[in-house]
Amino acid sequence: MRIALVCGYFDWFSGYQEVALAEAFSRYAEVEVIAGDRVSPIFNDAHLEKLGRHRAYDSGTTIENGVTVTRFPVREVRSMVWSSQAVSYLRRSDHDLVVQVMPGQGLPIAASLASAGKRRVALYGDNAAMWLALPQWKQALKWVAFTISKGLAYRYVNSRAVHAYGYTPDTITRLRGFFGSTPADVLPLAYDADRFFHDADLRRATRSQLGLREDDVLVITVGKFQRYKGIEDIVEAVDRTSRQDVNLRVLLVGADSSEYSDEIRAMVAGRDQDAVPVEVLDFRDAESLNALYNAADIGVWPRLPAISIQQAMGTGLFVVLPQNQWVGHLVEPGTGKYFEAELGIEGLARALDEYSGADRTDERRDERARRNSRFSGDGIARQVLEHVGLSH
């Protein structure tokens, strides 16, 4: 079986959906990734410097991590890329399944132009989360522009696909009018189980490196610092917790050289000495993140979805999330807790209070990791293969 993943951007270090799926599909088939030669613009120069990466890749075909990767020189406009060479290449290619990851990035649409006979599925991540900070009238204009531009492209892609997927329930709801007769389901963001896993020895070693005592409760959030994510909500929430018989510590991971990151650093530096200790860390690679997830006791994402949530859940970390249409499909009883988003910071503080004294044994952590394995790349890949009739 031969499977192609067509992406605008493909960065191994990102841990994004396309990376997890490439590795997972490679267990069942020959996998080829077809992508542009640029690093995703979501990673700024500070991120890349931290990771020791360049902004561009060499074009051509290579074998990377057991996967064939073919990159084409692209024209890039904002977060969209295009290559007519990719269309020609796909017309000459023969794959049993073509997975179009994020058609809004442009290049995945090439797979729809290449042939009407391919078995294709389309994966969408578009949601209104990043528009939240905008006034209502600007959100309305964004939607009109989206419908005229990407919406038309989505209809075309879906008309030639056998199945479509959205990363969240919100995605399915918002794109309902663009699916036509093509079946559409939620396909949660997948984590790489080879990179994110529970390890009791790693937990103890990392907690020791961080100077944590056995009774310290470490709260963590991970992700690129962006204003609409509300990182400051976590700092305000821990200051509102009762902290009775609980020693809270907080790690905010993912800062860069942006203005918002500087604001968070200043906020943390200006807190009272007797406040809950909070530390701001720069962007980290997957190995470092796995260690930090293992060391932590509670993972918090106060507003929006992120691949880092599923990565953390893969380590068995208990997560605290808002009850909303973006993350409301992730938590089962015992694997995490939802707080009432309407209560905002107060609701988050109550949730932290409720869980901070709970059982944090290795056994409970292993159980959560096993239950959350449904979000692993392997679990998500098998779901896609079953839907399109290619499972073994």
Side-chain angles (χ1 to χ4, degrees):
M1 183 163 58
R2 300 187 69 235
I3 297 176
L5 269 70
V6 186
C7 322
Y9 303 95
F10 186 82
D11 306 298
W12 286 107
F13 62 84
S14 71
Y16 287 164
Q17 186 82 330
E18 56 270 20
V19 172
L21 288 178
E23 294 182 329
F25 279 130
S26 69
R27 298 184 177 97
Y28 303 95
E30 287 184 35
V31 174
E32 180 177 16
V33 173
I34 298 168
D37 63 347
R38 309 288 176 84
V39 171
S40 171
I42 199 168
F43 298 102
N44 61 31
D45 291 341
H47 292 139
L48 298 183
E49 183 178 356
K50 184 74 176 179
L51 295 169
R53 305 280 179 173
H54 298 293
R55 176 61 62 185
Y57 299 97
D58 292 334
S59 58
T61 299
T62 58
I63 304 297
E64 304 171 12
N65 300 321
V67 172
T68 301
V69 180
T70 301
R71 297 186 184 275
F72 292 95
V74 292
R75 287 177 292 170
E76 184 176 37
V77 179
R78 301 180 67 181
S79 296
M80 297 181 66
V81 294
W82 184 254
S83 168
S84 57
Q85 293 181 45
V87 179
S88 300
Y89 182 80
L90 282 161
R91 282 179 175 147
R92 300 192 304 269
S93 301
D94 182 26
H95 296 94
D96 299 290
L97 175 66
V98 177
V99 182
Q100 297 166 268
V101 183
M102 304 281 282
Q105 292 180 351
L107 190 62
I109 299 172
S112 300
L113 295 170
S115 169
K118 302 283 187 185
R119 188 178 304 193
R120 289 181 294 270
V121 298
L123 277 56
Y124 296 96
D126 283 290
N127 58 62
M130 60 188 65
W131 300 356
L132 285 180
L134 298 176
Q136 288 292 326
W137 66 272
K138 283 192 175 182
Q139 293 187 37
L141 285 178
K142 282 269 190 181
W143 178 248
V144 171
F146 174 91
T147 302
I148 294 173
S149 56
K150 287 186 178 180
L152 294 175
Y154 287 2
R155 285 194 182 95
Y156 175 71
V157 169
N158 294 330
S159 70
R160 295 192 162 198
V162 297
H163 214 107
Y165 298 95
Y167 293 158
T168 71
D170 173 66
T171 307
I172 297 296
T173 299
R174 292 184 69 253
L175 300 185
R176 183 74 66 187
F178 305 117
F179 292 130
S181 60
T182 302
D185 290 290
V186 174
L187 189 77
L189 292 174
Y191 71 91
D192 183 349
D194 291 330
R195 290 188 172 94
F196 298 100
F197 49 85
H198 176 231
D199 185 320
D201 291 334
L202 178 62
R203 171 177 167 81
R204 284 187 284 271
T206 308
R207 286 178 68 88
S208 176
Q209 292 169 6
L210 293 171
L212 294 169
R213 297 170 298 185
E214 186 173 342
D215 61 343
D216 285 338
V217 176
L218 180 60
V219 178
I220 191 172
T221 193
V222 171
K224 289 178 291 298
F225 280 24
Q226 293 169 309
R227 195 175 300 277
Y228 61 82
K229 294 183 180 180
I231 308 297
E232 65 275 11
D233 290 359
I234 301 172
V235 181
E236 295 185 29
V238 295
D239 284 338
R240 295 191 192 183
T241 58
S242 65
R243 287 176 274 167
Q244 294 179 356
D245 303 319
V246 175
N247 299 315
L248 288 179
R249 291 270 302 275
V250 180
L251 283 182
L252 310 176
V253 185
D256 54 24
S257 58
S258 67
E259 179 183 348
Y260 180 60
S261 293
D262 289 341
E263 290 175 14
I264 295 297
R265 292 188 184 98
M267 177 187 186
V268 169
R271 298 167 71 243
D272 295 337
Q273 288 187 344
D274 61 347
V276 173
V278 178
E279 186 175 358
V280 179
L281 300 182
D282 292 341
F283 193 77
R284 293 291 193 270
D285 60 18
E287 184 178 3
S288 298
L289 289 182
N290 186 54
L292 292 173
Y293 288 139
N294 272 274
D297 301 293
I298 306 174
V300 180
W301 287 263
R303 297 186 189 177
L304 302 174
I307 185 57
S308 49
I309 298 175
Q310 280 91 319
Q311 291 170 349
M313 295 179 77
T315 72
L317 183 63
F318 189 95
V319 296
V320 174
L321 308 173
Q323 179 67 67
N324 62 32
Q325 66 270 43
W326 298 303
V327 295
H329 60 298
L330 298 177
V331 171
E332 294 180 341
T335 65
K337 180 176 179 58
Y338 287 117
F339 67 90
E340 295 181 52
E342 295 79 9
L343 297 179
I345 294 168
E346 186 60 36
L348 177 53
R350 291 180 189 177
L352 291 173
D353 259 336
E354 182 175 337
Y355 183 70
S356 58
D359 178 8
R360 302 193 300 278
T361 62
D362 290 336
E363 291 75 19
R364 291 294 298 275
R365 187 101 184 213
D366 278 333
E367 178 190 355
R368 285 196 295 270
R370 284 194 298 270
R371 293 173 63 186
N372 292 335
S373 64
R374 68 190 188 280
F375 298 130
S376 69
D378 191 58
I380 299 298
R382 281 188 280 108
Q383 181 179 334
V384 172
L385 292 176
E386 288 170 4
H387 279 166
V388 299
L390 291 174
S391 59
H392 294 288

PDB file of all heavy atoms in Angstrom, residues 185-211:
ATOM      1  N   ASP A 185     -15.960  13.858   9.645  1.00  0.00           N
ATOM      2  CA  ASP A 185     -15.878  13.462  11.053  1.00  0.00           C
ATOM      3  C   ASP A 185     -14.777  14.235  11.756  1.00  0.00           C
ATOM      4  O   ASP A 185     -13.873  14.792  11.114  1.00  0.00           O
ATOM      5  CB  ASP A 185     -15.569  11.956  11.174  1.00  0.00           C
ATOM      6  CG  ASP A 185     -16.734  11.082  10.755  1.00  0.00           C
ATOM      7  OD1 ASP A 185     -17.736  11.067  11.485  1.00  0.00           O
ATOM      8  OD2 ASP A 185     -16.632  10.438   9.698  1.00  0.00           O
ATOM      9  N   VAL A 186     -14.839  14.229  13.087  1.00  0.00           N
ATOM     10  CA  VAL A 186     -13.766  14.807  13.889  1.00  0.00           C
ATOM     11  C   VAL A 186     -12.588  13.843  13.914  1.00  0.00           C
ATOM     12  O   VAL A 186     -12.751  12.643  14.153  1.00  0.00           O
ATOM     13  CB  VAL A 186     -14.237  15.088  15.333  1.00  0.00           C
ATOM     14  CG1 VAL A 186     -13.062  15.548  16.200  1.00  0.00           C
ATOM     15  CG2 VAL A 186     -15.341  16.131  15.332  1.00  0.00           C
ATOM     16  N   LEU A 187     -11.400  14.362  13.632  1.00  0.00           N
ATOM     17  CA  LEU A 187     -10.166  13.585  13.707  1.00  0.00           C
ATOM     18  C   LEU A 187      -9.206  14.377  14.598  1.00  0.00           C
ATOM     19  O   LEU A 187      -8.534  15.291  14.132  1.00  0.00           O
ATOM     20  CB  LEU A 187      -9.554  13.381  12.322  1.00  0.00           C
ATOM     21  CG  LEU A 187      -8.380  12.392  12.260  1.00  0.00           C
ATOM     22  CD1 LEU A 187      -8.906  10.961  12.311  1.00  0.00           C
ATOM     23  CD2 LEU A 187      -7.567  12.601  10.981  1.00  0.00           C
ATOM     24  N   PRO A 188      -9.154  14.065  15.886  1.00  0.00           N
ATOM     25  CA  PRO A 188      -8.358  14.883  16.809  1.00  0.00           C
ATOM     26  C   PRO A 188      -6.885  14.937  16.414  1.00  0.00           C
ATOM     27  O   PRO A 188      -6.365  14.033  15.758  1.00  0.00           O
ATOM     28  CB  PRO A 188      -8.526  14.150  18.151  1.00  0.00           C
ATOM     29  CG  PRO A 188      -9.783  13.358  18.003  1.00  0.00           C
ATOM     30  CD  PRO A 188      -9.825  12.957  16.563  1.00  0.00           C
ATOM     31  N   LEU A 189      -6.232  16.010  16.804  1.00  0.00           N
ATOM     32  CA  LEU A 189      -4.790  16.120  16.605  1.00  0.00           C
ATOM     33  C   LEU A 189      -4.097  14.943  17.265  1.00  0.00           C
ATOM     34  O   LEU A 189      -4.461  14.527  18.371  1.00  0.00           O
ATOM     35  CB  LEU A 189      -4.271  17.432  17.196  1.00  0.00           C
ATOM     36  CG  LEU A 189      -4.712  18.713  16.492  1.00  0.00           C
ATOM     37  CD1 LEU A 189      -4.241  19.933  17.277  1.00  0.00           C
ATOM     38  CD2 LEU A 189      -4.186  18.770  15.073  1.00  0.00           C
ATOM     39  N   ALA A 190      -3.102  14.400  16.581  1.00  0.00           N
ATOM     40  CA  ALA A 190      -2.428  13.192  17.056  1.00  0.00           C
ATOM     41  C   ALA A 190      -1.053  13.523  17.619  1.00  0.00           C
ATOM     42  O   ALA A 190      -0.360  14.401  17.115  1.00  0.00           O
ATOM     43  CB  ALA A 190      -2.291  12.188  15.912  1.00  0.00           C
ATOM     44  N   TYR A 191      -0.659  12.792  18.650  1.00  0.00           N
ATOM     45  CA  TYR A 191       0.697  12.932  19.182  1.00  0.00           C
ATOM     46  C   TYR A 191       1.522  11.714  18.784  1.00  0.00           C
ATOM     47  O   TYR A 191       0.979  10.646  18.458  1.00  0.00           O
ATOM     48  CB  TYR A 191       0.679  13.094  20.706  1.00  0.00           C
ATOM     49  CG  TYR A 191       0.308  11.832  21.464  1.00  0.00           C
ATOM     50  CD1 TYR A 191       1.299  10.938  21.886  1.00  0.00           C
ATOM     51  CD2 TYR A 191      -1.015  11.519  21.755  1.00  0.00           C
ATOM     52  CE1 TYR A 191       0.978   9.774  22.569  1.00  0.00           C
ATOM     53  CE2 TYR A 191      -1.347  10.360  22.439  1.00  0.00           C
ATOM     54  CZ  TYR A 191      -0.345   9.496  22.845  1.00  0.00           C
ATOM     55  OH  TYR A 191      -0.670   8.334  23.520  1.00  0.00           O
ATOM     56  N   ASP A 192       2.833  11.852  18.836  1.00  0.00           N
ATOM     57  CA  ASP A 192       3.760  10.781  18.486  1.00  0.00           C
ATOM     58  C   ASP A 192       4.102  10.005  19.757  1.00  0.00           C
ATOM     59  O   ASP A 192       4.781  10.516  20.648  1.00  0.00           O
ATOM     60  CB  ASP A 192       5.019  11.378  17.866  1.00  0.00           C
ATOM     61  CG  ASP A 192       6.018  10.317  17.414  1.00  0.00           C
ATOM     62  OD1 ASP A 192       5.840   9.134  17.771  1.00  0.00           O
ATOM     63  OD2 ASP A 192       6.984  10.683  16.722  1.00  0.00           O
ATOM     64  N   ALA A 193       3.623   8.765  19.842  1.00  0.00           N
ATOM     65  CA  ALA A 193       3.816   7.962  21.050  1.00  0.00           C
ATOM     66  C   ALA A 193       5.276   7.566  21.273  1.00  0.00           C
ATOM     67  O   ALA A 193       5.649   7.169  22.380  1.00  0.00           O
ATOM     68  CB  ALA A 193       2.948   6.700  20.985  1.00  0.00           C
ATOM     69  N   ASP A 194       6.108   7.683  20.245  1.00  0.00           N
ATOM     70  CA  ASP A 194       7.531   7.405  20.420  1.00  0.00           C
ATOM     71  C   ASP A 194       8.256   8.579  21.083  1.00  0.00           C
ATOM     72  O   ASP A 194       9.362   8.420  21.595  1.00  0.00           O
ATOM     73  CB  ASP A 194       8.193   7.105  19.071  1.00  0.00           C
ATOM     74  CG  ASP A 194       7.722   5.786  18.485  1.00  0.00           C
ATOM     75  OD1 ASP A 194       7.388   4.874  19.282  1.00  0.00           O
ATOM     76  OD2 ASP A 194       7.678   5.659  17.246  1.00  0.00           O
ATOM     77  N   ARG A 195       7.628   9.746  21.043  1.00  0.00           N
ATOM     78  CA  ARG A 195       8.241  10.939  21.624  1.00  0.00           C
ATOM     79  C   ARG A 195       7.600  11.356  22.944  1.00  0.00           C
ATOM     80  O   ARG A 195       8.238  11.993  23.783  1.00  0.00           O
ATOM     81  CB  ARG A 195       8.163  12.114  20.639  1.00  0.00           C
ATOM     82  CG  ARG A 195       9.071  11.976  19.420  1.00  0.00           C
ATOM     83  CD  ARG A 195       9.066  13.266  18.614  1.00  0.00           C
ATOM     84  NE  ARG A 195      10.058  13.250  17.540  1.00  0.00           N
ATOM     85  CZ  ARG A 195       9.804  12.899  16.304  1.00  0.00           C
ATOM     86  NH1 ARG A 195       8.581  12.512  15.977  1.00  0.00           N
ATOM     87  NH2 ARG A 195      10.750  12.913  15.389  1.00  0.00           N
ATOM     88  N   PHE A 196       6.321  11.016  23.120  1.00  0.00           N
ATOM     89  CA  PHE A 196       5.602  11.447  24.317  1.00  0.00           C
ATOM     90  C   PHE A 196       4.986  10.231  25.001  1.00  0.00           C
ATOM     91  O   PHE A 196       4.085   9.590  24.464  1.00  0.00           O
ATOM     92  CB  PHE A 196       4.527  12.476  23.932  1.00  0.00           C
ATOM     93  CG  PHE A 196       5.122  13.716  23.318  1.00  0.00           C
ATOM     94  CD1 PHE A 196       5.135  13.889  21.938  1.00  0.00           C
ATOM     95  CD2 PHE A 196       5.696  14.693  24.112  1.00  0.00           C
ATOM     96  CE1 PHE A 196       5.708  15.011  21.362  1.00  0.00           C
ATOM     97  CE2 PHE A 196       6.272  15.825  23.540  1.00  0.00           C
ATOM     98  CZ  PHE A 196       6.281  15.980  22.178  1.00  0.00           C
ATOM     99  N   PHE A 197       5.492   9.937  26.183  1.00  0.00           N
ATOM    100  CA  PHE A 197       5.110   8.725  26.903  1.00  0.00           C
ATOM    101  C   PHE A 197       5.404   8.914  28.392  1.00  0.00           C
ATOM    102  O   PHE A 197       6.195   9.792  28.772  1.00  0.00           O
ATOM    103  CB  PHE A 197       5.905   7.521  26.371  1.00  0.00           C
ATOM    104  CG  PHE A 197       7.386   7.805  26.274  1.00  0.00           C
ATOM    105  CD1 PHE A 197       8.236   7.644  27.375  1.00  0.00           C
ATOM    106  CD2 PHE A 197       7.939   8.261  25.080  1.00  0.00           C
ATOM    107  CE1 PHE A 197       9.594   7.925  27.286  1.00  0.00           C
ATOM    108  CE2 PHE A 197       9.304   8.553  24.989  1.00  0.00           C
ATOM    109  CZ  PHE A 197      10.129   8.388  26.092  1.00  0.00           C
ATOM    110  N   HIS A 198       4.784   8.081  29.214  1.00  0.00           N
ATOM    111  CA  HIS A 198       5.036   8.154  30.655  1.00  0.00           C
ATOM    112  C   HIS A 198       6.247   7.312  31.016  1.00  0.00           C
ATOM    113  O   HIS A 198       6.390   6.178  30.565  1.00  0.00           O
ATOM    114  CB  HIS A 198       3.827   7.652  31.448  1.00  0.00           C
ATOM    115  CG  HIS A 198       4.063   7.618  32.925  1.00  0.00           C
ATOM    116  ND1 HIS A 198       3.813   6.511  33.704  1.00  0.00           N
ATOM    117  CD2 HIS A 198       4.578   8.560  33.754  1.00  0.00           C
ATOM    118  CE1 HIS A 198       4.138   6.774  34.956  1.00  0.00           C
ATOM    119  NE2 HIS A 198       4.604   8.011  35.013  1.00  0.00           N
ATOM    120  N   ASP A 199       7.122   7.891  31.820  1.00  0.00           N
ATOM    121  CA  ASP A 199       8.325   7.207  32.290  1.00  0.00           C
ATOM    122  C   ASP A 199       8.567   7.662  33.725  1.00  0.00           C
ATOM    123  O   ASP A 199       8.952   8.817  33.967  1.00  0.00           O
ATOM    124  CB  ASP A 199       9.511   7.563  31.396  1.00  0.00           C
ATOM    125  CG  ASP A 199      10.783   6.802  31.754  1.00  0.00           C
ATOM    126  OD1 ASP A 199      11.050   6.623  32.962  1.00  0.00           O
ATOM    127  OD2 ASP A 199      11.513   6.396  30.832  1.00  0.00           O
ATOM    128  N   ALA A 200       8.328   6.751  34.671  1.00  0.00           N
ATOM    129  CA  ALA A 200       8.442   7.099  36.086  1.00  0.00           C
ATOM    130  C   ALA A 200       9.852   7.534  36.460  1.00  0.00           C
ATOM    131  O   ALA A 200      10.044   8.471  37.250  1.00  0.00           O
ATOM    132  CB  ALA A 200       7.998   5.915  36.953  1.00  0.00           C
ATOM    133  N   ASP A 201      10.859   6.878  35.901  1.00  0.00           N
ATOM    134  CA  ASP A 201      12.247   7.252  36.203  1.00  0.00           C
ATOM    135  C   ASP A 201      12.569   8.642  35.648  1.00  0.00           C
ATOM    136  O   ASP A 201      13.261   9.435  36.301  1.00  0.00           O
ATOM    137  CB  ASP A 201      13.215   6.218  35.624  1.00  0.00           C
ATOM    138  CG  ASP A 201      13.135   4.869  36.329  1.00  0.00           C
ATOM    139  OD1 ASP A 201      12.729   4.859  37.518  1.00  0.00           O
ATOM    140  OD2 ASP A 201      13.465   3.849  35.704  1.00  0.00           O
ATOM    141  N   LEU A 202      12.076   8.917  34.440  1.00  0.00           N
ATOM    142  CA  LEU A 202      12.287  10.234  33.845  1.00  0.00           C
ATOM    143  C   LEU A 202      11.606  11.304  34.689  1.00  0.00           C
ATOM    144  O   LEU A 202      12.153  12.400  34.880  1.00  0.00           O
ATOM    145  CB  LEU A 202      11.748  10.256  32.415  1.00  0.00           C
ATOM    146  CG  LEU A 202      11.845  11.585  31.653  1.00  0.00           C
ATOM    147  CD1 LEU A 202      13.297  12.008  31.484  1.00  0.00           C
ATOM    148  CD2 LEU A 202      11.154  11.467  30.292  1.00  0.00           C
ATOM    149  N   ARG A 203      10.431  10.993  35.194  1.00  0.00           N
ATOM    150  CA  ARG A 203       9.719  11.946  36.051  1.00  0.00           C
ATOM    151  C   ARG A 203      10.553  12.307  37.276  1.00  0.00           C
ATOM    152  O   ARG A 203      10.752  13.490  37.585  1.00  0.00           O
ATOM    153  CB  ARG A 203       8.370  11.352  36.486  1.00  0.00           C
ATOM    154  CG  ARG A 203       7.650  12.180  37.555  1.00  0.00           C
ATOM    155  CD  ARG A 203       6.291  11.570  37.893  1.00  0.00           C
ATOM    156  NE  ARG A 203       5.719  12.154  39.094  1.00  0.00           N
ATOM    157  CZ  ARG A 203       5.073  13.317  39.153  1.00  0.00           C
ATOM    158  NH1 ARG A 203       4.932  14.054  38.066  1.00  0.00           N
ATOM    159  NH2 ARG A 203       4.579  13.768  40.285  1.00  0.00           N
ATOM    160  N   ARG A 204      11.058  11.298  37.955  1.00  0.00           N
ATOM    161  CA  ARG A 204      11.826  11.565  39.176  1.00  0.00           C
ATOM    162  C   ARG A 204      13.108  12.344  38.864  1.00  0.00           C
ATOM    163  O   ARG A 204      13.467  13.271  39.588  1.00  0.00           O
ATOM    164  CB  ARG A 204      12.148  10.247  39.876  1.00  0.00           C
ATOM    165  CG  ARG A 204      10.956   9.649  40.614  1.00  0.00           C
ATOM    166  CD  ARG A 204      11.355   8.440  41.434  1.00  0.00           C
ATOM    167  NE  ARG A 204      11.565   7.265  40.579  1.00  0.00           N
ATOM    168  CZ  ARG A 204      10.591   6.425  40.252  1.00  0.00           C
ATOM    169  NH1 ARG A 204       9.350   6.634  40.679  1.00  0.00           N
ATOM    170  NH2 ARG A 204      10.836   5.374  39.499  1.00  0.00           N
ATOM    171  N   ALA A 205      13.792  11.968  37.783  1.00  0.00           N
ATOM    172  CA  ALA A 205      15.040  12.641  37.436  1.00  0.00           C
ATOM    173  C   ALA A 205      14.795  14.106  37.070  1.00  0.00           C
ATOM    174  O   ALA A 205      15.551  14.997  37.480  1.00  0.00           O
ATOM    175  CB  ALA A 205      15.716  11.917  36.268  1.00  0.00           C
ATOM    176  N   THR A 206      13.734  14.367  36.293  1.00  0.00           N
ATOM    177  CA  THR A 206      13.456  15.737  35.867  1.00  0.00           C
ATOM    178  C   THR A 206      12.990  16.594  37.032  1.00  0.00           C
ATOM    179  O   THR A 206      13.379  17.770  37.152  1.00  0.00           O
ATOM    180  CB  THR A 206      12.403  15.747  34.745  1.00  0.00           C
ATOM    181  OG1 THR A 206      12.807  14.864  33.698  1.00  0.00           O
ATOM    182  CG2 THR A 206      12.232  17.147  34.168  1.00  0.00           C
ATOM    183  N   ARG A 207      12.176  16.028  37.905  1.00  0.00           N
ATOM    184  CA  ARG A 207      11.740  16.785  39.083  1.00  0.00           C
ATOM    185  C   ARG A 207      12.938  17.139  39.961  1.00  0.00           C
ATOM    186  O   ARG A 207      13.006  18.242  40.529  1.00  0.00           O
ATOM    187  CB  ARG A 207      10.698  15.989  39.876  1.00  0.00           C
ATOM    188  CG  ARG A 207       9.334  15.963  39.207  1.00  0.00           C
ATOM    189  CD  ARG A 207       8.317  15.137  39.989  1.00  0.00           C
ATOM    190  NE  ARG A 207       7.962  15.752  41.248  1.00  0.00           N
ATOM    191  CZ  ARG A 207       6.977  16.639  41.412  1.00  0.00           C
ATOM    192  NH1 ARG A 207       6.264  17.042  40.364  1.00  0.00           N
ATOM    193  NH2 ARG A 207       6.706  17.137  42.601  1.00  0.00           N
ATOM    194  N   SER A 208      13.899  16.228  40.050  1.00  0.00           N
ATOM    195  CA  SER A 208      15.101  16.502  40.830  1.00  0.00           C
ATOM    196  C   SER A 208      15.881  17.661  40.197  1.00  0.00           C
ATOM    197  O   SER A 208      16.368  18.570  40.894  1.00  0.00           O
ATOM    198  CB  SER A 208      15.972  15.258  40.913  1.00  0.00           C
ATOM    199  OG  SER A 208      17.180  15.524  41.594  1.00  0.00           O
ATOM    200  N   GLN A 209      16.006  17.646  38.858  1.00  0.00           N
ATOM    201  CA  GLN A 209      16.716  18.717  38.159  1.00  0.00           C
ATOM    202  C   GLN A 209      16.030  20.069  38.353  1.00  0.00           C
ATOM    203  O   GLN A 209      16.685  21.115  38.406  1.00  0.00           O
ATOM    204  CB  GLN A 209      16.810  18.398  36.664  1.00  0.00           C
ATOM    205  CG  GLN A 209      17.698  17.206  36.330  1.00  0.00           C
ATOM    206  CD  GLN A 209      17.549  16.759  34.882  1.00  0.00           C
ATOM    207  OE1 GLN A 209      16.865  17.416  34.090  1.00  0.00           O
ATOM    208  NE2 GLN A 209      18.165  15.653  34.541  1.00  0.00           N
ATOM    209  N   LEU A 210      14.704  20.043  38.462  1.00  0.00           N
ATOM    210  CA  LEU A 210      13.937  21.277  38.632  1.00  0.00           C
ATOM    211  C   LEU A 210      13.896  21.733  40.092  1.00  0.00           C
ATOM    212  O   LEU A 210      13.339  22.795  40.394  1.00  0.00           O
ATOM    213  CB  LEU A 210      12.508  21.087  38.121  1.00  0.00           C
ATOM    214  CG  LEU A 210      12.343  20.868  36.607  1.00  0.00           C
ATOM    215  CD1 LEU A 210      10.909  20.476  36.280  1.00  0.00           C
ATOM    216  CD2 LEU A 210      12.747  22.117  35.834  1.00  0.00           C
ATOM    217  N   GLY A 211      14.467  20.926  40.984  1.00  0.00           N
ATOM    218  CA  GLY A 211      14.467  21.279  42.404  1.00  0.00           C
ATOM    219  C   GLY A 211      13.123  21.094  43.063  1.00  0.00           C
ATOM    220  O   GLY A 211      12.821  21.772  44.067  1.00  0.00           O
TER     221      GLY A 211
END
